[in-house]
Amino acid sequence: MIQLVIIGIYLGLLLFLGVFSSRLFRGTSQDYMLASHSIGPFLLLMSIFGTTMTAFALVGSSGEAYKEGVGVYGMLASSSGIIHSLCFFLLGIKLWSWGHKYGYTTQIQFFRERLESDKIGVILFPILVGLVIPYLLIGVMSSGVVISSITEGAFDSAFAAYDYGVPPWLGSLVISLVVLIYVFFGGMRGTAWANTFQTIVFMVLGVVTFFVISSKLGGLEAASHAVLEKNPSKLMRDVDPKDRAAYAKRYETWTLIAKYNYATRVLKTLTLTPEQKKQAYEEFKPRMPNWQMTAEAVFAAKNSLYELTTEQTNKALLKQDDRVMPDPFPEKWTTDLMSHHALQEYPRKANAEDEQAMLIFGNKIGHPNHDLDPEDPSKGKKWTIKKALGVYRATNWAPDAPHPMSKLVFFTYFFVPLSVGMFPHLFQHWLTARSAGTFKLPVVAHPLFIMIVWVPCVLVGVWATSATFEGAPLFPPHFPANAVLAAMVKKMTSPVLAGFLTAGILAAIMSSLDSQFLCIGTMFTEDIVVHYGGKDRFTDKQVVLMARTFIILVVAITYGFSLLEPRRVFTLGVWCFSGFSSLFPIIFAAVYWKRLTKAGTYAGVLVAIGTWLYLFKEAGYAMKPNYTFLGMMPVATMVVASAAAMILVSLVTRPPSKETLVRFFPED
Amino acid sequence: MRYAVYGLVVVLIILHQDNWLWDDKRLILGFMPITLLYQAGISIGAAIVWFLATKFAWPHHLEEIAQESPAPAPAPEAASETAPETGDTE
């Protein structure tokens, strides 16, 4: 409950900030959307950084490091330090100067004039809004997950289905409303101030979290040495032979369990006698959750108590791993034994673990503050549903196979940060700058700020793979990556600190949501309503009202998606960024290539979004986290295809008029 | 000097692809994985290179554009009398 109170106070502070900044609102749409070009270097740095660091940076990076190891930092963070600043330097300053000179508020206004094309907005508007929605989704979804995880057990009897904590749908809703309110009141100025405040909050609390967690793990050295001992592959980008051997052993044991369960539960050709079970338990030493099943399986296999055909074995593996059983059963799997890799080609049944976990552990699930056995407190506390699901996954599903990071994938990740060049909300932030010189601080400090946030998060995620707490592993196998940071904060800190640290995580999430909310409202009014309705038709008050209404609509749609969305934050984020990156060649050429034509831009945009849609579908709509195309990140194909289409079509079509070229390239 | 700064950006991009540390799990200072330390160094290197860019490759002429173009929106007291356009140029 303490955590909940602290989060509530923090959200109240933000609302106060929004309302306070509204007192400085000048009443014009220009002020609402661009803070009247009045933002100085520090506010610009903090607002740009806060905007680019999302749930993706905190929740996603620690979760992804937990899954993939330290290589995650090089894949995205250090490359972003180079590429983001490159985009600010090469694109931001030029676009700011044109925006200031010609009065642009949105990217589409710039493209319409630069390309002499009114219709480009018709194509770009739905694409940009369509790509912003998954970006919003990441924040809305993560905020709900974080609040839910941290408030487990906060209520005595309410929300039993959510482990007596705030349900994710409610957490997401509250965060969306708070951000909506301060964006409504404060506009861009309020957003810049709130971003600055929140960026300071999440950076400071992030560092505090890091040191608190490391001290709970016995210090920096002990935490890292545990990884070196138990999961050395997480410290590099290759697979350590020790991890490979450990996995082979675990997979072999898991296969025995799968076969034993199939023989006893499906074929019903085997039942161990009480004496045999007793002997099995006596011979089995490791005492992990559900260890009895493993003991029985090992005993039955060792004593050759059953025999399965190849087909039956393959079916046993599919069943044990909750995979969809192919119908008809492929001929080849009646004679060949499936590898783990082949097994994973079959999708896992949706929510398979929910029913099973409730069935198996139903009598253990309850309020996490209540004793499992009121007459014997030494047996521990009741299990949360999340714990039951975790134990089910850990004891039933096949162990994760260690895999190296592909060098080609690592290299082609470099295309992902190009997305900042086309983020509509960042474009809008660039335009708020007071002068070109205002960009200097963000350009220099951005890589350092990324490092300050990402290095601790990546280390914490990696430590989570091997950490023990109160004598037991902190996380069982198959623990949901998105919940790693919140779970560590909850388990390893005091309720007061956990409340503050959660506020820090929420700050990072909200500091991106606000800019995105504002930007989609701006795009709708400027690029659609005012553009097609006529600028004299609406008063400034009406324009602001329409912006706010459209924001509510998009937030409502995003919120609706968040109720359905189960994907990994990191994977979804990468797809969203890839879409924006695929449009990077267009913005870069518009700024630096005089020969870019209207037709070339159309070709580039259509190819970008076409390849994005095709590859997104191929990747199971982000359900395959390690999907690659031609061995590379899909974004590489999108960027290259889009650039090629844009260049080729531009070269064979009529260049823009001399007036336009003089307008944008006067120095030449 | 401007081209030297651009050259340094290219060098950073090349150094970022640290194939030589792919299977190195050493802990530096007893806790820091060498891969992570190296890539954090790339971040610091990026900040230095971008600092040099602001010194030697800064587009100063764009500062003048801001001075030539109309002044930003008026102060709050005067806003109601001379509210600027919405920013739309169509």
Side-chain angles (χ1 to χ4, degrees), chain A residues 269-297:
Chain A
T269 51
L270 171 68
T271 309
L272 291 189
T273 62
E275 291 75 29
Q276 285 174 317
K277 281 188 183 177
K278 194 175 167 225
Q279 196 182 340
Y281 299 158
E282 281 169 3
E283 287 174 8
F284 194 76
K285 288 287 174 277
R287 297 287 190 262
M288 300 298 284
N290 241 11
W291 63 273
Q292 291 88 343
M293 189 168 65
T294 312
E296 291 168 24

PDB file of all heavy atoms in Angstrom, chain A residues 269-297:
ATOM      1  N   THR A 269       0.088 -46.160 -19.851  1.00  0.00           N
ATOM      2  CA  THR A 269       0.725 -47.487 -19.865  1.00  0.00           C
ATOM      3  C   THR A 269       1.656 -47.667 -18.675  1.00  0.00           C
ATOM      4  O   THR A 269       2.334 -48.680 -18.559  1.00  0.00           O
ATOM      5  CB  THR A 269       1.550 -47.666 -21.161  1.00  0.00           C
ATOM      6  OG1 THR A 269       2.402 -46.534 -21.295  1.00  0.00           O
ATOM      7  CG2 THR A 269       0.649 -47.782 -22.376  1.00  0.00           C
ATOM      8  N   LEU A 270       1.734 -46.662 -17.846  1.00  0.00           N
ATOM      9  CA  LEU A 270       2.662 -46.749 -16.724  1.00  0.00           C
ATOM     10  C   LEU A 270       2.066 -46.091 -15.486  1.00  0.00           C
ATOM     11  O   LEU A 270       1.509 -44.992 -15.551  1.00  0.00           O
ATOM     12  CB  LEU A 270       3.976 -46.026 -17.087  1.00  0.00           C
ATOM     13  CG  LEU A 270       4.984 -45.840 -15.969  1.00  0.00           C
ATOM     14  CD1 LEU A 270       5.580 -47.178 -15.532  1.00  0.00           C
ATOM     15  CD2 LEU A 270       6.103 -44.900 -16.403  1.00  0.00           C
ATOM     16  N   THR A 271       2.165 -46.773 -14.369  1.00  0.00           N
ATOM     17  CA  THR A 271       1.834 -46.169 -13.076  1.00  0.00           C
ATOM     18  C   THR A 271       2.863 -46.671 -12.073  1.00  0.00           C
ATOM     19  O   THR A 271       3.026 -47.897 -11.903  1.00  0.00           O
ATOM     20  CB  THR A 271       0.434 -46.616 -12.594  1.00  0.00           C
ATOM     21  OG1 THR A 271      -0.498 -46.411 -13.638  1.00  0.00           O
ATOM     22  CG2 THR A 271       0.010 -45.827 -11.361  1.00  0.00           C
ATOM     23  N   LEU A 272       3.571 -45.750 -11.463  1.00  0.00           N
ATOM     24  CA  LEU A 272       4.566 -46.176 -10.474  1.00  0.00           C
ATOM     25  C   LEU A 272       3.862 -46.591  -9.190  1.00  0.00           C
ATOM     26  O   LEU A 272       2.899 -45.950  -8.758  1.00  0.00           O
ATOM     27  CB  LEU A 272       5.538 -45.036 -10.158  1.00  0.00           C
ATOM     28  CG  LEU A 272       6.507 -44.598 -11.253  1.00  0.00           C
ATOM     29  CD1 LEU A 272       7.539 -43.625 -10.699  1.00  0.00           C
ATOM     30  CD2 LEU A 272       7.222 -45.780 -11.891  1.00  0.00           C
ATOM     31  N   THR A 273       4.344 -47.627  -8.608  1.00  0.00           N
ATOM     32  CA  THR A 273       3.779 -48.069  -7.328  1.00  0.00           C
ATOM     33  C   THR A 273       4.292 -47.142  -6.227  1.00  0.00           C
ATOM     34  O   THR A 273       5.330 -46.472  -6.401  1.00  0.00           O
ATOM     35  CB  THR A 273       4.236 -49.504  -7.009  1.00  0.00           C
ATOM     36  OG1 THR A 273       5.663 -49.478  -6.885  1.00  0.00           O
ATOM     37  CG2 THR A 273       3.829 -50.477  -8.102  1.00  0.00           C
ATOM     38  N   PRO A 274       3.612 -47.111  -5.083  1.00  0.00           N
ATOM     39  CA  PRO A 274       4.109 -46.269  -3.974  1.00  0.00           C
ATOM     40  C   PRO A 274       5.547 -46.600  -3.602  1.00  0.00           C
ATOM     41  O   PRO A 274       6.335 -45.712  -3.283  1.00  0.00           O
ATOM     42  CB  PRO A 274       3.139 -46.599  -2.830  1.00  0.00           C
ATOM     43  CG  PRO A 274       1.888 -47.037  -3.510  1.00  0.00           C
ATOM     44  CD  PRO A 274       2.320 -47.728  -4.760  1.00  0.00           C
ATOM     45  N   GLU A 275       5.899 -47.879  -3.689  1.00  0.00           N
ATOM     46  CA  GLU A 275       7.278 -48.267  -3.331  1.00  0.00           C
ATOM     47  C   GLU A 275       8.272 -47.693  -4.338  1.00  0.00           C
ATOM     48  O   GLU A 275       9.345 -47.194  -3.988  1.00  0.00           O
ATOM     49  CB  GLU A 275       7.424 -49.810  -3.323  1.00  0.00           C
ATOM     50  CG  GLU A 275       6.687 -50.511  -2.215  1.00  0.00           C
ATOM     51  CD  GLU A 275       5.176 -50.563  -2.460  1.00  0.00           C
ATOM     52  OE1 GLU A 275       4.752 -50.580  -3.629  1.00  0.00           O
ATOM     53  OE2 GLU A 275       4.421 -50.542  -1.459  1.00  0.00           O
ATOM     54  N   GLN A 276       7.866 -47.782  -5.615  1.00  0.00           N
ATOM     55  CA  GLN A 276       8.757 -47.250  -6.656  1.00  0.00           C
ATOM     56  C   GLN A 276       8.930 -45.734  -6.485  1.00  0.00           C
ATOM     57  O   GLN A 276      10.025 -45.194  -6.643  1.00  0.00           O
ATOM     58  CB  GLN A 276       8.187 -47.563  -8.046  1.00  0.00           C
ATOM     59  CG  GLN A 276       8.356 -49.010  -8.465  1.00  0.00           C
ATOM     60  CD  GLN A 276       7.650 -49.320  -9.769  1.00  0.00           C
ATOM     61  OE1 GLN A 276       6.519 -48.882  -9.983  1.00  0.00           O
ATOM     62  NE2 GLN A 276       8.293 -50.089 -10.618  1.00  0.00           N
ATOM     63  N   LYS A 277       7.826 -45.059  -6.150  1.00  0.00           N
ATOM     64  CA  LYS A 277       7.908 -43.612  -5.958  1.00  0.00           C
ATOM     65  C   LYS A 277       8.837 -43.279  -4.793  1.00  0.00           C
ATOM     66  O   LYS A 277       9.660 -42.360  -4.880  1.00  0.00           O
ATOM     67  CB  LYS A 277       6.515 -43.026  -5.698  1.00  0.00           C
ATOM     68  CG  LYS A 277       5.693 -42.851  -6.969  1.00  0.00           C
ATOM     69  CD  LYS A 277       4.412 -42.083  -6.695  1.00  0.00           C
ATOM     70  CE  LYS A 277       3.599 -41.988  -7.972  1.00  0.00           C
ATOM     71  NZ  LYS A 277       2.322 -41.323  -7.794  1.00  0.00           N
ATOM     72  N   LYS A 278       8.689 -44.031  -3.730  1.00  0.00           N
ATOM     73  CA  LYS A 278       9.510 -43.789  -2.543  1.00  0.00           C
ATOM     74  C   LYS A 278      10.999 -43.938  -2.898  1.00  0.00           C
ATOM     75  O   LYS A 278      11.830 -43.109  -2.540  1.00  0.00           O
ATOM     76  CB  LYS A 278       9.123 -44.805  -1.451  1.00  0.00           C
ATOM     77  CG  LYS A 278       9.658 -44.451  -0.093  1.00  0.00           C
ATOM     78  CD  LYS A 278       9.141 -45.416   0.950  1.00  0.00           C
ATOM     79  CE  LYS A 278       9.926 -45.239   2.245  1.00  0.00           C
ATOM     80  NZ  LYS A 278      10.341 -46.442   2.854  1.00  0.00           N
ATOM     81  N   GLN A 279      11.259 -44.997  -3.656  1.00  0.00           N
ATOM     82  CA  GLN A 279      12.644 -45.240  -4.066  1.00  0.00           C
ATOM     83  C   GLN A 279      13.151 -44.113  -4.978  1.00  0.00           C
ATOM     84  O   GLN A 279      14.289 -43.656  -4.860  1.00  0.00           O
ATOM     85  CB  GLN A 279      12.702 -46.588  -4.812  1.00  0.00           C
ATOM     86  CG  GLN A 279      14.120 -47.114  -4.936  1.00  0.00           C
ATOM     87  CD  GLN A 279      14.162 -48.426  -5.718  1.00  0.00           C
ATOM     88  OE1 GLN A 279      13.158 -49.133  -5.856  1.00  0.00           O
ATOM     89  NE2 GLN A 279      15.327 -48.751  -6.235  1.00  0.00           N
ATOM     90  N   ALA A 280      12.263 -43.663  -5.873  1.00  0.00           N
ATOM     91  CA  ALA A 280      12.635 -42.578  -6.793  1.00  0.00           C
ATOM     92  C   ALA A 280      12.996 -41.320  -6.022  1.00  0.00           C
ATOM     93  O   ALA A 280      14.003 -40.663  -6.313  1.00  0.00           O
ATOM     94  CB  ALA A 280      11.471 -42.291  -7.751  1.00  0.00           C
ATOM     95  N   TYR A 281      12.201 -40.993  -5.007  1.00  0.00           N
ATOM     96  CA  TYR A 281      12.451 -39.771  -4.229  1.00  0.00           C
ATOM     97  C   TYR A 281      13.746 -39.873  -3.434  1.00  0.00           C
ATOM     98  O   TYR A 281      14.478 -38.914  -3.269  1.00  0.00           O
ATOM     99  CB  TYR A 281      11.285 -39.486  -3.266  1.00  0.00           C
ATOM    100  CG  TYR A 281       9.951 -39.272  -3.962  1.00  0.00           C
ATOM    101  CD1 TYR A 281       8.743 -39.461  -3.288  1.00  0.00           C
ATOM    102  CD2 TYR A 281       9.875 -38.888  -5.298  1.00  0.00           C
ATOM    103  CE1 TYR A 281       7.511 -39.271  -3.915  1.00  0.00           C
ATOM    104  CE2 TYR A 281       8.656 -38.702  -5.942  1.00  0.00           C
ATOM    105  CZ  TYR A 281       7.476 -38.904  -5.246  1.00  0.00           C
ATOM    106  OH  TYR A 281       6.288 -38.717  -5.884  1.00  0.00           O
ATOM    107  N   GLU A 282      13.999 -41.072  -2.935  1.00  0.00           N
ATOM    108  CA  GLU A 282      15.222 -41.260  -2.146  1.00  0.00           C
ATOM    109  C   GLU A 282      16.473 -41.098  -2.998  1.00  0.00           C
ATOM    110  O   GLU A 282      17.484 -40.585  -2.552  1.00  0.00           O
ATOM    111  CB  GLU A 282      15.213 -42.650  -1.495  1.00  0.00           C
ATOM    112  CG  GLU A 282      14.344 -42.709  -0.254  1.00  0.00           C
ATOM    113  CD  GLU A 282      14.121 -44.146   0.234  1.00  0.00           C
ATOM    114  OE1 GLU A 282      14.682 -45.097  -0.345  1.00  0.00           O
ATOM    115  OE2 GLU A 282      13.352 -44.290   1.190  1.00  0.00           O
ATOM    116  N   GLU A 283      16.349 -41.537  -4.267  1.00  0.00           N
ATOM    117  CA  GLU A 283      17.535 -41.501  -5.145  1.00  0.00           C
ATOM    118  C   GLU A 283      17.769 -40.104  -5.723  1.00  0.00           C
ATOM    119  O   GLU A 283      18.848 -39.801  -6.215  1.00  0.00           O
ATOM    120  CB  GLU A 283      17.346 -42.494  -6.316  1.00  0.00           C
ATOM    121  CG  GLU A 283      17.466 -43.932  -5.874  1.00  0.00           C
ATOM    122  CD  GLU A 283      17.145 -44.916  -7.001  1.00  0.00           C
ATOM    123  OE1 GLU A 283      16.973 -44.459  -8.160  1.00  0.00           O
ATOM    124  OE2 GLU A 283      17.059 -46.111  -6.728  1.00  0.00           O
ATOM    125  N   PHE A 284      16.720 -39.253  -5.660  1.00  0.00           N
ATOM    126  CA  PHE A 284      16.829 -37.951  -6.328  1.00  0.00           C
ATOM    127  C   PHE A 284      17.285 -36.887  -5.349  1.00  0.00           C
ATOM    128  O   PHE A 284      16.713 -36.714  -4.283  1.00  0.00           O
ATOM    129  CB  PHE A 284      15.470 -37.571  -6.936  1.00  0.00           C
ATOM    130  CG  PHE A 284      15.544 -36.441  -7.918  1.00  0.00           C
ATOM    131  CD1 PHE A 284      16.045 -36.637  -9.197  1.00  0.00           C
ATOM    132  CD2 PHE A 284      15.117 -35.169  -7.562  1.00  0.00           C
ATOM    133  CE1 PHE A 284      16.126 -35.594 -10.101  1.00  0.00           C
ATOM    134  CE2 PHE A 284      15.188 -34.119  -8.459  1.00  0.00           C
ATOM    135  CZ  PHE A 284      15.697 -34.338  -9.732  1.00  0.00           C
ATOM    136  N   LYS A 285      18.322 -36.138  -5.714  1.00  0.00           N
ATOM    137  CA  LYS A 285      18.864 -35.168  -4.762  1.00  0.00           C
ATOM    138  C   LYS A 285      18.365 -33.715  -4.939  1.00  0.00           C
ATOM    139  O   LYS A 285      17.890 -33.121  -3.976  1.00  0.00           O
ATOM    140  CB  LYS A 285      20.400 -35.207  -4.806  1.00  0.00           C
ATOM    141  CG  LYS A 285      20.948 -36.474  -4.181  1.00  0.00           C
ATOM    142  CD  LYS A 285      20.819 -36.447  -2.660  1.00  0.00           C
ATOM    143  CE  LYS A 285      21.227 -37.772  -2.044  1.00  0.00           C
ATOM    144  NZ  LYS A 285      20.142 -38.776  -2.070  1.00  0.00           N
ATOM    145  N   PRO A 286      18.448 -33.095  -6.133  1.00  0.00           N
ATOM    146  CA  PRO A 286      18.078 -31.661  -6.205  1.00  0.00           C
ATOM    147  C   PRO A 286      16.626 -31.460  -5.805  1.00  0.00           C
ATOM    148  O   PRO A 286      15.758 -32.249  -6.150  1.00  0.00           O
ATOM    149  CB  PRO A 286      18.278 -31.321  -7.694  1.00  0.00           C
ATOM    150  CG  PRO A 286      19.091 -32.419  -8.265  1.00  0.00           C
ATOM    151  CD  PRO A 286      18.807 -33.630  -7.453  1.00  0.00           C
ATOM    152  N   ARG A 287      16.359 -30.396  -5.023  1.00  0.00           N
ATOM    153  CA  ARG A 287      14.995 -30.161  -4.546  1.00  0.00           C
ATOM    154  C   ARG A 287      14.454 -28.828  -5.081  1.00  0.00           C
ATOM    155  O   ARG A 287      14.308 -27.859  -4.343  1.00  0.00           O
ATOM    156  CB  ARG A 287      14.978 -30.151  -3.007  1.00  0.00           C
ATOM    157  CG  ARG A 287      15.380 -31.479  -2.381  1.00  0.00           C
ATOM    158  CD  ARG A 287      14.264 -32.503  -2.565  1.00  0.00           C
ATOM    159  NE  ARG A 287      14.503 -33.696  -1.779  1.00  0.00           N
ATOM    160  CZ  ARG A 287      15.050 -34.815  -2.277  1.00  0.00           C
ATOM    161  NH1 ARG A 287      15.414 -34.865  -3.527  1.00  0.00           N
ATOM    162  NH2 ARG A 287      15.212 -35.875  -1.489  1.00  0.00           N
ATOM    163  N   MET A 288      14.207 -28.784  -6.386  1.00  0.00           N
ATOM    164  CA  MET A 288      13.617 -27.599  -6.990  1.00  0.00           C
ATOM    165  C   MET A 288      12.098 -27.762  -6.928  1.00  0.00           C
ATOM    166  O   MET A 288      11.601 -28.849  -6.638  1.00  0.00           O
ATOM    167  CB  MET A 288      14.067 -27.469  -8.460  1.00  0.00           C
ATOM    168  CG  MET A 288      15.565 -27.342  -8.635  1.00  0.00           C
ATOM    169  SD  MET A 288      16.207 -25.858  -7.833  1.00  0.00           S
ATOM    170  CE  MET A 288      15.685 -24.611  -8.996  1.00  0.00           C
ATOM    171  N   PRO A 289      11.299 -26.680  -7.204  1.00  0.00           N
ATOM    172  CA  PRO A 289       9.849 -26.839  -7.196  1.00  0.00           C
ATOM    173  C   PRO A 289       9.417 -27.977  -8.120  1.00  0.00           C
ATOM    174  O   PRO A 289       9.997 -28.169  -9.191  1.00  0.00           O
ATOM    175  CB  PRO A 289       9.342 -25.485  -7.726  1.00  0.00           C
ATOM    176  CG  PRO A 289      10.429 -24.525  -7.444  1.00  0.00           C
ATOM    177  CD  PRO A 289      11.688 -25.316  -7.518  1.00  0.00           C
ATOM    178  N   ASN A 290       8.423 -28.721  -7.666  1.00  0.00           N
ATOM    179  CA  ASN A 290       7.882 -29.827  -8.464  1.00  0.00           C
ATOM    180  C   ASN A 290       8.913 -30.937  -8.718  1.00  0.00           C
ATOM    181  O   ASN A 290       8.843 -31.643  -9.706  1.00  0.00           O
ATOM    182  CB  ASN A 290       7.390 -29.298  -9.823  1.00  0.00           C
ATOM    183  CG  ASN A 290       5.917 -29.559  -9.982  1.00  0.00           C
ATOM    184  OD1 ASN A 290       5.235 -29.930  -9.028  1.00  0.00           O
ATOM    185  ND2 ASN A 290       5.415 -29.376 -11.183  1.00  0.00           N
ATOM    186  N   TRP A 291       9.875 -31.086  -7.802  1.00  0.00           N
ATOM    187  CA  TRP A 291      10.987 -32.005  -8.030  1.00  0.00           C
ATOM    188  C   TRP A 291      10.542 -33.455  -8.073  1.00  0.00           C
ATOM    189  O   TRP A 291      11.193 -34.297  -8.688  1.00  0.00           O
ATOM    190  CB  TRP A 291      12.050 -31.817  -6.941  1.00  0.00           C
ATOM    191  CG  TRP A 291      11.564 -32.134  -5.541  1.00  0.00           C
ATOM    192  CD1 TRP A 291      10.946 -31.287  -4.698  1.00  0.00           C
ATOM    193  CD2 TRP A 291      11.621 -33.403  -4.869  1.00  0.00           C
ATOM    194  NE1 TRP A 291      10.615 -31.908  -3.522  1.00  0.00           N
ATOM    195  CE2 TRP A 291      11.020 -33.230  -3.594  1.00  0.00           C
ATOM    196  CE3 TRP A 291      12.125 -34.660  -5.187  1.00  0.00           C
ATOM    197  CZ2 TRP A 291      10.905 -34.257  -2.671  1.00  0.00           C
ATOM    198  CZ3 TRP A 291      12.020 -35.686  -4.257  1.00  0.00           C
ATOM    199  CH2 TRP A 291      11.411 -35.477  -3.017  1.00  0.00           C
ATOM    200  N   GLN A 292       9.387 -33.755  -7.440  1.00  0.00           N
ATOM    201  CA  GLN A 292       8.944 -35.155  -7.394  1.00  0.00           C
ATOM    202  C   GLN A 292       8.724 -35.730  -8.796  1.00  0.00           C
ATOM    203  O   GLN A 292       9.080 -36.869  -9.084  1.00  0.00           O
ATOM    204  CB  GLN A 292       7.646 -35.288  -6.592  1.00  0.00           C
ATOM    205  CG  GLN A 292       7.811 -35.032  -5.097  1.00  0.00           C
ATOM    206  CD  GLN A 292       7.662 -33.573  -4.728  1.00  0.00           C
ATOM    207  OE1 GLN A 292       7.738 -32.687  -5.592  1.00  0.00           O
ATOM    208  NE2 GLN A 292       7.452 -33.310  -3.450  1.00  0.00           N
ATOM    209  N   MET A 293       8.145 -34.875  -9.682  1.00  0.00           N
ATOM    210  CA  MET A 293       7.865 -35.337 -11.038  1.00  0.00           C
ATOM    211  C   MET A 293       9.174 -35.712 -11.743  1.00  0.00           C
ATOM    212  O   MET A 293       9.269 -36.727 -12.433  1.00  0.00           O
ATOM    213  CB  MET A 293       7.143 -34.234 -11.808  1.00  0.00           C
ATOM    214  CG  MET A 293       6.603 -34.658 -13.142  1.00  0.00           C
ATOM    215  SD  MET A 293       5.497 -33.418 -13.798  1.00  0.00           S
ATOM    216  CE  MET A 293       6.570 -32.041 -14.047  1.00  0.00           C
ATOM    217  N   THR A 294      10.192 -34.861 -11.538  1.00  0.00           N
ATOM    218  CA  THR A 294      11.490 -35.128 -12.157  1.00  0.00           C
ATOM    219  C   THR A 294      12.075 -36.433 -11.587  1.00  0.00           C
ATOM    220  O   THR A 294      12.608 -37.263 -12.333  1.00  0.00           O
ATOM    221  CB  THR A 294      12.462 -33.962 -11.881  1.00  0.00           C
ATOM    222  OG1 THR A 294      11.795 -32.748 -12.179  1.00  0.00           O
ATOM    223  CG2 THR A 294      13.712 -34.065 -12.725  1.00  0.00           C
ATOM    224  N   ALA A 295      11.944 -36.608 -10.292  1.00  0.00           N
ATOM    225  CA  ALA A 295      12.480 -37.818  -9.654  1.00  0.00           C
ATOM    226  C   ALA A 295      11.823 -39.076 -10.237  1.00  0.00           C
ATOM    227  O   ALA A 295      12.503 -40.059 -10.560  1.00  0.00           O
ATOM    228  CB  ALA A 295      12.246 -37.741  -8.145  1.00  0.00           C
ATOM    229  N   GLU A 296      10.510 -39.002 -10.388  1.00  0.00           N
ATOM    230  CA  GLU A 296       9.783 -40.167 -10.940  1.00  0.00           C
ATOM    231  C   GLU A 296      10.209 -40.440 -12.380  1.00  0.00           C
ATOM    232  O   GLU A 296      10.404 -41.593 -12.785  1.00  0.00           O
ATOM    233  CB  GLU A 296       8.271 -39.902 -10.883  1.00  0.00           C
ATOM    234  CG  GLU A 296       7.723 -39.894  -9.466  1.00  0.00           C
ATOM    235  CD  GLU A 296       6.304 -39.337  -9.390  1.00  0.00           C
ATOM    236  OE1 GLU A 296       5.582 -39.387 -10.414  1.00  0.00           O
ATOM    237  OE2 GLU A 296       5.915 -38.843  -8.312  1.00  0.00           O
ATOM    238  N   ALA A 297      10.345 -39.342 -13.166  1.00  0.00           N
ATOM    239  CA  ALA A 297      10.708 -39.520 -14.581  1.00  0.00           C
ATOM    240  C   ALA A 297      12.086 -40.139 -14.721  1.00  0.00           C
ATOM    241  O   ALA A 297      12.297 -41.055 -15.524  1.00  0.00           O
ATOM    242  CB  ALA A 297      10.662 -38.158 -15.285  1.00  0.00           C
TER     243      ALA A 297
END
